[in-house]
């Protein structure tokens, strides 16, 4: 919540990022699905013909390239805009940290090592930048991809979808276990960097 309070002034750019992430994710799913009709309706019927007409196949391949191109452009825009937003946000966070540190009593600096204080300005804020510029857009993209692929799977084969759901539940269980261990290790790593 505090991080998003710093990003309030960039809400229009964040909306553009959200739209770009959604378009990029959906275009990947649509592009992947287009392989099925291209093979079944345009490539297989041409096999064995003496004078095959490739015009429909070429137009479908061009459409597929257009879908992927739109997704790639949106992915690039998302990265550039989030880099700009995260840089502005981190600048304000660093200014606020510095202003706050000027109000702290001398006893704070006597009781905290210099490395810990510098870690706040460098390592911790760089971690926030990674969160804002990479993790959040990737999270939105992943959720969109999962929902899109899930709907496509139900449409194509409900029985295989059920099997995948069972395997995903198993993966979530394992990931949760690994995540709890890695979060402790990450916390220890940040403390070690501070020291």
């Amino acid at each position: 919540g505090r991080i998003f309070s710093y990003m309030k002034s960039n809400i229009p750019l964040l909306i553009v990022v959200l739209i770009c992430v959604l378009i990029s994710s959906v275009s990947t799913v649509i592009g992947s699905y287009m392989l099925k009709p291209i093979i079944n309706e345009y490539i297989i019927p041409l096999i064995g013909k003496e004078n095959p007409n490739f015009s429909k196949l070429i137009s479908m391949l061009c459409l597929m390239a257009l879908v992927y191109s739109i997704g790639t452009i949106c992915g690039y825009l998302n990265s550039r805009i989030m880099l700009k937003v995260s840089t502005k946000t981190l600048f304000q966070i660093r200014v606020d940290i510095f202003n706050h540190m000027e109000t702290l009593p001398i006893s704070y600096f006597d009781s905290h090592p210099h490395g810990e204080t510098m870690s706040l300005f460098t390592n911790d804020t760089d971690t926030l930048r990674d969160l804002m510029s990479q993790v959040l857009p990737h999270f939105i993209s992943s959720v969109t991809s999962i929902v899109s692929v899930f709907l496509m799977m139900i449409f194509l084969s409900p029985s295989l979808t059920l099997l995948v759901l069972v395997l995903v539940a198993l993966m979530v269980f394992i990931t949760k276990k690994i995540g709890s261990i890695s979060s402790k290790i990450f916390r220890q790593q940040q403390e070690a960097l501070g020291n």
Side-chain angles (χ1 to χ4, degrees):
R2 288 176 68 189
I3 292 171
F4 282 116
S5 71
Y6 279 99
M7 301 170 87
K8 278 182 186 172
S9 62
N10 296 306
I11 286 179
L13 289 176
L14 291 174
I15 291 171
V16 171
V17 165
L18 179 64
I19 292 168
C20 286
V21 167
L22 292 174
I23 291 172
S24 178
S25 299
V26 170
S27 70
T28 302
V29 173
I30 291 172
S32 298
Y33 179 74
M34 288 177 76
L35 286 172
K36 179 186 174 190
I38 286 175
I39 292 171
N40 291 344
E41 298 170 20
Y42 298 101
I43 294 177
I44 292 177
L46 296 176
I47 296 174
K49 286 193 175 181
E50 289 199 22
N51 294 320
N53 182 3
F54 291 106
S55 61
K56 290 181 180 178
L57 174 62
I58 291 171
S59 65
M60 278 302 288
L61 290 175
C62 289
L63 180 63
M64 187 176 177
L66 178 66
V67 167
Y68 277 120
S69 298
I70 290 170
T72 303
I73 291 167
C74 287
Y76 174 77
L77 286 174
N78 149 46
S79 298
R80 295 299 300 170
I81 293 170
M82 275 313 290
L83 185 63
K84 182 179 179 180
V85 168
S86 63
T87 303
K88 278 176 66 177
T89 304
L90 280 184
F91 175 76
Q92 189 57 51
I93 289 172
R94 283 189 169 122
V95 167
D96 286 354
I97 291 173
F98 183 78
N99 290 339
H100 178 70
M101 287 208 163
E102 287 185 320
T103 65
L104 294 174
I106 297 291
S107 61
Y108 172 84
F109 297 101
D110 290 340
S111 62
H112 291 78
H114 294 300
E116 184 180 322
T117 306
M118 289 306 297
S119 179
L120 288 172
F121 279 93
T122 55
N123 299 322
D124 293 355
T125 50
D126 283 345
T127 302
L128 282 177
R129 181 187 61 220
D130 291 343
L131 170 80
M132 288 183 283
S133 64
Q134 296 172 11
V135 176
L136 288 178
H138 184 70
F139 175 75
I140 295 167
S141 173
S142 297
V143 169
T144 305
S145 294
I146 288 169
V147 170
S148 303
V149 167
F150 181 70
L151 293 174
M152 195 68 68
M153 287 169 56
I154 289 174
F155 174 73
L156 292 174
S157 174
S159 58
L160 276 177
T161 304
L162 184 63
L163 175 66
V164 168
L165 287 176
V166 170
L167 293 175
V168 165
L170 180 65
M171 286 173 51
V172 166
F173 175 76
I174 293 170
T175 304
K176 199 173 182 181
K177 289 286 183 192
I178 293 172
S180 66
I181 294 168
S182 65
S183 67
K184 286 184 214 167
I185 293 170
F186 179 74
R187 210 173 302 118
Q188 290 170 356
Q189 177 190 9
Q190 290 302 106
E191 288 171 8
L193 279 170
N195 292 334

